[in-house]
Structures are given as C-alpha cells and as structure tokens.
Amino acid sequence: MRQALFNWVNPMKLLERGFWILGILLLAYCVYVLVDQRIYQARQRKELEKILRENARIPSPKPPIDRNLVGNLVIPRIGISAIVREGTNEDVLRRAVGHIKGTALPGQHGNVGVAAHRDTLFRALRNIRKNDTITFNTPWGEYYYQVESTRVVKPENVEVLKPVGYEALTLVTCYPFGYIGKAPKRFIVRARRIAVPWTIAPDS
C-alpha cells in the first residue's frame, strides 16, 4: 500500500502521467480538428453545388457581392480538393483554403492569391510539379490553370501576390513542410490561366 502510494506521488511518475494526459488531449484535439474540417468541407461542397445549379439558369453569372464561398480548388495529380473561402484569418484557414483579400478573383485580370496550412489542406503541395493542372470551380464559372513554377520566399515578400500581366493563380503555404512550430518561410506555387486543361503538355 505504501509502495503504491509512493509511486503515485513520485514526481517522475506524476510527470510521466502528465505527459500521457497531455498527449491524449493533443491527439483528441487533432482528431476533432480533422473531423470538423472534413464535415465543413462536405457541407460547403453541397452549398457550392446548389449555387451552381441555380446559376446554370443564368447566362453569365457574376461574382456575388457577398462572396464568402469563393469556390473549390482541385489539383488532381496530387489529390487536393478543397473549398476556398474569403479571408485568411485562423477561423477560415482551420477549415478551408483562404482567398487573400485584395487579390483578384478567378476570371478577373490579375493575380488570384490563396493560402492554406501546410499540415492540412495544402500538405500535398510538397509534391506539386511544373505543368500540373489546377481547376478552380466558382459560382460564376470554372477556370483552369497550369503550374509554371515553385519557389521559397520570406514571409514579408508580398511581391508574389502582385499582378504579373496575365491571369495568374498563386498558392501560398508555410515552409518547410515538416517544420515543427511556426515555419520561417513560405512556399509559393505560380500558375497561369489556360483555356482548357487538355491543351497543356502531359504531366512529366
């Protein structure tokens, strides 16, 4: 009895139990975040499909004034399919890809900027390659892009979001992908709008 009591109050035993409890709580939180994200993505896809059906009756739908639901971003080769919402605050990025305010929207002449966390929706960006195709489905149209380049920049380098003379799409996430804690750099994917996806060269 005394030995059992000693083991319970032993500082090392208490510390070990504390780490176990902390680990379980962190695992539970990660599971909650993942499940919440998937449920949110599924609901938003249904909402997007509903809007698309309604807009199918309109000859030339325009971007709505309230465009919180921007669309769905798909990169088939690396398995990315994610809802895009307006804004890049943590509430948005926890559940979706965020459209960077002040950048163009798909279909506009300019640079469309979107961002997401490297350990969730943009995890697969580490495998992106030149000539990969990107489809951006929005309530007002479907747009196709071809990856031209990738680069790593410092967080303060906002030049990557400026207009570049053609309809561009820029994907932003933190870098390195396997970094623990707040990553020091940003991984940038630049793509150019194309007419239809089968006009580009096959993925190499």
Side-chain angles (χ1 to χ4, degrees):
M1 181 68 179
R2 289 182 179 179
Q3 183 63 36
L5 181 62
F6 175 77
N7 287 339
W8 176 254
V9 298
N10 184 294
M12 293 303 296
K13 290 290 184 179
L14 288 175
L15 185 61
E16 181 181 346
R17 287 188 177 91
F19 280 127
W20 272 105
I21 293 171
L22 180 61
I24 292 170
L25 290 175
L26 288 174
L27 179 60
Y29 176 74
C30 290
V31 171
Y32 163 76
V33 169
L34 180 61
V35 171
D36 177 67
Q37 183 184 88
R38 289 186 176 180
I39 292 173
Y40 180 84
Q41 288 278 319
R43 287 176 176 171
Q44 291 299 297
R45 285 194 182 94
K46 288 183 179 179
E47 179 65 21
L48 179 59
E49 290 170 2
K50 178 182 176 183
I51 294 172
L52 289 173
R53 286 195 299 269
E54 294 172 350
N55 285 351
R57 300 189 297 267
I58 304 173
S60 299
K62 302 295 183 182
I65 296 176
D66 179 10
R67 58 172 188 268
N68 285 331
L69 177 54
V70 179
N72 192 60
L73 187 77
V74 181
I75 312 178
R77 194 186 65 78
I78 59 175
I80 288 180
S81 178
I83 287 293
V84 182
R85 301 284 298 185
E86 183 64 27
T88 52
N89 58 55
E90 188 54 35
D91 286 341
V92 172
L93 296 183
R94 183 169 59 86
R95 291 174 155 186
V97 174
H99 173 254
I100 301 171
K101 292 183 178 180
T103 67
L105 287 168
Q108 294 179 342
H109 189 77
N111 190 0
V112 182
V114 297
H117 289 312
R118 73 188 190 280
D119 52 358
T120 55
L121 295 172
F122 271 1
R123 176 187 293 273
L125 273 191
R126 68 180 73 194
N127 300 317
I128 197 90
R129 294 201 303 245
K130 184 177 180 180
N131 290 339
D132 278 348
T133 59
I134 303 174
T135 302
F136 208 144
N137 297 299
T138 76
W140 56 91
E142 187 171 61
Y143 304 89
Y144 305 102
Y145 300 85
Q146 176 183 6
V147 174
E148 291 191 322
S149 65
T150 63
R151 59 188 292 205
V152 176
V153 302
K154 294 181 178 179
E156 59 270 20
N157 186 348
V158 296
E159 298 292 321
V160 296
L161 296 174
K162 290 188 175 181
V164 290
Y166 56 87
E167 290 187 46
L169 172 65
T170 300
L171 282 55
V172 181
T173 194
C174 293
Y175 185 87
F177 286 95
Y179 195 85
I180 304 299
K182 188 176 181 179
K185 296 181 180 180
R186 300 292 180 267
F187 183 75
I188 308 298
V189 177
R190 172 62 55 76
R192 178 191 290 261
R193 186 182 172 191
I194 57 176
V196 286
W198 53 82
T199 60
I200 68 169
D203 294 327
S204 56

